[in-house]
């Protein structure tokens, strides 16, 4: 009865959780659209020469919001009267909708303060959040068709669901604790690919910033020529800030080797700028290299992918110290392909058409930039991985196993047994020259020799060899350089060295026979 009663409640709780997730997705879409609408309306209000009314400003805001999701727009108000495509996405604008969807999906799987709030499954959370977001996005696409920047339906059907679903999946992954694949190789490849991509983008940003600073005068002239009023300059400045990540991707593609196109008839690479570029006046485009062959300054940008490949290979090599060579090499190749895929996606978003004709291709080619990243990761990252792995597997000299030292007692006993002559015959007046030395090893206990009556030596002492005089009685008694280290220092006839005591499992020697 209890199971039958609770089952509808559980189903109802999950249905409510899915509905809440769908609402969260719609709210996230509304927040992103509202922020851009506020900025566009503020620019329209501050403009001294507005071209249209508030309805036109809202259409522009809708178009910019769709452009932030990778959707190509179509400009209808051109000088020639023919529609022109606009496909370059300001990557900084992408951060706003992606973060909103990410947060909505993450909060959907949050158990809450009491920990008993019903939650959907991870797949259900992604589907519900993305579904609610895409419902609002579909309405925005329909609304933009009546404005000056209608959306291209093909790219709206491809990129818009991909971006939203990917951001929702990232939010669910964060809510689950950012788990990585169970295999060590896959997890290490993902980490290395992420580090390599970040290093590549950071180096591209530095290269582009240096070039922009070098051509600061030309950039300032372009900025002042676009707008004379302060409201227009603020708008241009905001557009420049939104395109700064694009500049970093362009710099990375330039350092990788393929470079980027400046129209259908011009290509800029570290080897030089070939062709006749069609460059519109814009401050960031002032950082483009001059026409002609490249110099060592342009060739130095190759250090950017080199550093990224070294970082990528070092990350894999440190993780592969205990792996086989084959596993380490496959992981390095996987990291190279992961970095190449990321670079290809970013290059495809950072470039695109700016118009028709010669401006139909502007920016880096996604497949060329991705292939170059894979080649750098393979040709440089793979040897670095194997080298770091070999260096990590080396055994330092201080940790190498050393042979165990021979105990002093055993070595001394063996030396004494090998060098000392046999005991003299009884009587102490003569010795037998044919007597062989004692060849017993140190492991065998020696019976103390009989005391010599003429010298008064105690039992257990070792006779001196010929030519050695007793000059240090104290050192002789306590095991000095002229005495026996195993002799009794106090002259006890029954003394036996501790090292020669029998073990617990050895039978005791029979008592000496008495007459």
């Amino acid at each position: 009865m209890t199971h039958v009663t609770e089952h509808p409640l559980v189903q109802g709780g999950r249905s409510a959780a899915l509905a809440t997730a769908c609402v969260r997705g719609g709210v996230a879409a509304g927040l992103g659209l509202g922020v851009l609408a506020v900025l566009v309306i503020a620019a329209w209000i501050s403009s001294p020469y507005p071209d249209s009314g508030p309805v036109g400003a809202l259409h522009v805001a809708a178009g910019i919001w769709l452009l932030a999701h990778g959707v190509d727009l179509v400009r209808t108000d051109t000088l020639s009267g023919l529609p022109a495509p606009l496909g370059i996405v300001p990557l900084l604008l992408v951060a706003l909708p992606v973060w909103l969807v990410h947060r909505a999906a993450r909060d959907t799987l949050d158990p809450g303060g009491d920990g008993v709030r019903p939650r959907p499954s991870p797949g259900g959370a992604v589907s519900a959040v993305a579904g609610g977001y895409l419902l609002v996005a579909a309405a925005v696409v329909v609304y933009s068709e009546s404005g000056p920047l209608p959306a291209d339906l093909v790219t709206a059907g491809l990129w818009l669901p991909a971006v939203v679903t990917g951001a929702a999946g990232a939010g669910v992954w964060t809510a689950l604790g950012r788990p990585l694949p169970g295999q060590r190789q896959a997890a290490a490849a993902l980490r290395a690919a992420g580090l390599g991509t970040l290093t590549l983008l950071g180096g591209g940003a530095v290269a582009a910033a240096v070039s922009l600073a070098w051509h600061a005068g030309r950039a300032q002239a372009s900025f002042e020529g676009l707008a004379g009023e302060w409201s227009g300059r603020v708008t241009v400045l905001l557009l420049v800030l939104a395109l700064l990540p694009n500049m970093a991707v362009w710099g990375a593609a330039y350092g990788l080797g393929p470079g980027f196109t400046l129209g259908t008839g011009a290509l800029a690479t570290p080897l030089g700028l070939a062709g006749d570029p069609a460059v519109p006046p814009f401050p960031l485009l002032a950082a483009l290299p001059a026409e002609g062959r490249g110099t060592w300054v342009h060739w130095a940008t190759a250090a950017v992918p080199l550093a990224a490949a070294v970082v990528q290979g070092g990350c894999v090599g440190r993780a592969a110290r205990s792996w086989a060579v084959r596993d380490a090499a496959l992981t390095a190749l996987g990291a190279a392909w992961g970095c190449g895929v990321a670079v290809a996606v970013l290059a495809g978003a950072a470039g695109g058409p700016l118009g028709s004709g010669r401006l139909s291709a502007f920016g880096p080619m996604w497949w060329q930039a991705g292939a170059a990243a894979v080649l750098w990761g393979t040709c440089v990252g793979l040897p670095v991985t194997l080298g770091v792995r070999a260096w990590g597997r080396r055994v330092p000299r201080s940790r190498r196993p050393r042979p165990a030292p021979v105990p002093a007692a055993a070595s001394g006993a063996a030396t004494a047994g090998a060098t000392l002559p046999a005991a003299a015959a009884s009587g102490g007046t003569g010795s037998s020259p044919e007597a062989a030395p004692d060849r017993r090893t140190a492991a065998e206990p020696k019976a103390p020799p009989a005391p010599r009556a003429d010298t008064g030596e105690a039992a257990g002492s070792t006779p001196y060899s010929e030519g050695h005089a007793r000059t240090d009685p104290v050192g002789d008694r306590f095991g000095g350089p002229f005495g026996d280290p195993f002799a009794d220092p106090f002259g006890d006839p029954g003394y036996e060295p501790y090292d020669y005591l029998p073990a617990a499992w050895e039978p005791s020697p029979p008592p000496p026979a008495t007459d």
Side-chain angles (χ1 to χ4, degrees), residues 8-495:
L9 295 177
V10 174
Q11 293 294 333
R14 289 182 178 177
S15 300
L18 290 175
T20 303
C22 186
V23 172
R24 286 179 183 272
V27 171
L31 287 176
L33 182 60
V35 170
L36 290 180
V38 169
L39 293 177
V40 172
I41 291 177
W44 172 77
I45 292 174
S46 61
S47 175
Y49 309 104
D51 295 336
S52 59
V55 177
L58 291 178
H59 278 96
V60 171
I64 294 177
W65 185 79
L66 292 175
L67 184 65
H69 294 79
V71 179
D72 290 351
L73 303 179
V74 180
R75 294 189 296 112
T76 57
D77 54 346
T78 58
L79 296 177
S80 62
L82 299 176
L86 176 62
I88 294 183
V89 180
L91 293 181
L92 190 61
L93 292 181
V94 180
L96 177 62
V98 166
W99 177 74
L100 290 173
V101 178
H102 178 276
R103 190 187 64 171
R106 182 197 62 194
D107 295 344
T108 300
L109 294 182
D110 187 8
D114 51 1
V116 297
R117 189 179 67 185
R119 296 183 301 169
S121 62
V126 173
S127 301
V129 172
Y133 196 98
L134 291 177
L135 286 176
V136 178
V140 175
V141 170
V142 173
Y143 178 75
S144 66
E145 293 297 322
S146 58
L149 295 175
D152 180 58
L153 297 181
V154 176
T155 56
L158 292 177
W159 287 109
L160 189 57
V163 172
V164 173
T165 305
V172 171
W173 179 62
T174 303
L176 296 177
R178 298 184 180 91
L180 292 176
Q183 295 183 353
R184 299 176 301 173
Q185 290 81 4
L190 288 177
R191 293 194 190 96
L195 287 177
T197 305
L198 290 178
T199 306
L200 191 61
L201 294 178
V206 171
V210 170
S211 180
L212 186 62
W214 186 264
H215 302 91
R218 190 167 58 181
Q220 183 179 1
S222 176
F223 178 78
E224 293 176 353
L226 286 176
E229 301 292 335
W230 67 269
S231 58
R233 292 184 179 182
V234 170
T235 303
V236 173
L237 180 61
L238 291 177
L239 183 57
V240 168
L241 294 178
L243 289 172
L244 286 180
N246 298 61
M247 187 177 67
V249 177
W250 284 39
Y254 186 82
L256 285 170
F260 43 82
T261 58
L262 300 174
T264 56
L267 178 64
T269 64
L271 299 179
L273 178 59
D276 184 17
V279 181
F282 194 73
L284 292 182
L285 296 179
L288 296 176
E291 299 182 15
R293 299 184 59 181
T295 61
W296 66 270
V297 178
H298 305 91
W299 303 336
T301 56
V304 173
L306 179 63
V310 169
V311 170
Q312 183 175 295
C315 180
V316 177
R318 287 190 298 270
R321 290 177 180 177
S322 59
W323 302 350
V325 177
R326 179 176 177 273
D327 295 338
L330 291 178
T331 304
L333 292 177
W337 277 97
C339 182
V341 170
V343 170
V345 172
L346 292 174
L354 272 181
S356 57
R358 295 183 59 186
L359 291 178
S360 60
F362 207 79
M365 299 296 294
W366 64 271
W367 64 271
Q368 294 179 358
V374 173
L375 288 178
W376 277 96
T378 303
C379 298
V380 178
L382 181 57
V384 170
T385 296
L386 298 180
V388 172
R389 173 188 173 274
W391 181 263
R393 291 172 63 92
R394 68 181 181 87
V395 180
R397 182 170 300 179
S398 59
R399 297 183 181 179
R400 293 178 182 175
R402 297 179 180 179
V406 180
S411 61
T415 305
T419 57
L420 292 179
S426 59
T429 57
S431 61
S432 174
E434 292 84 3
D438 188 3
R439 300 182 179 273
R440 290 179 299 178
T441 61
E444 299 177 359
K446 295 182 180 181
R452 296 178 58 178
D454 54 346
T455 59
E457 291 181 353
S461 62
T462 304
Y464 287 90
S465 59
E466 296 181 1
H468 287 176
R470 185 187 298 270
T471 59
D472 188 5
V474 178
D476 184 24
R477 172 171 292 186
F478 292 96
F482 300 99
D484 185 4
F486 303 102
D488 176 30
F490 302 102
D492 187 4
Y495 170 79

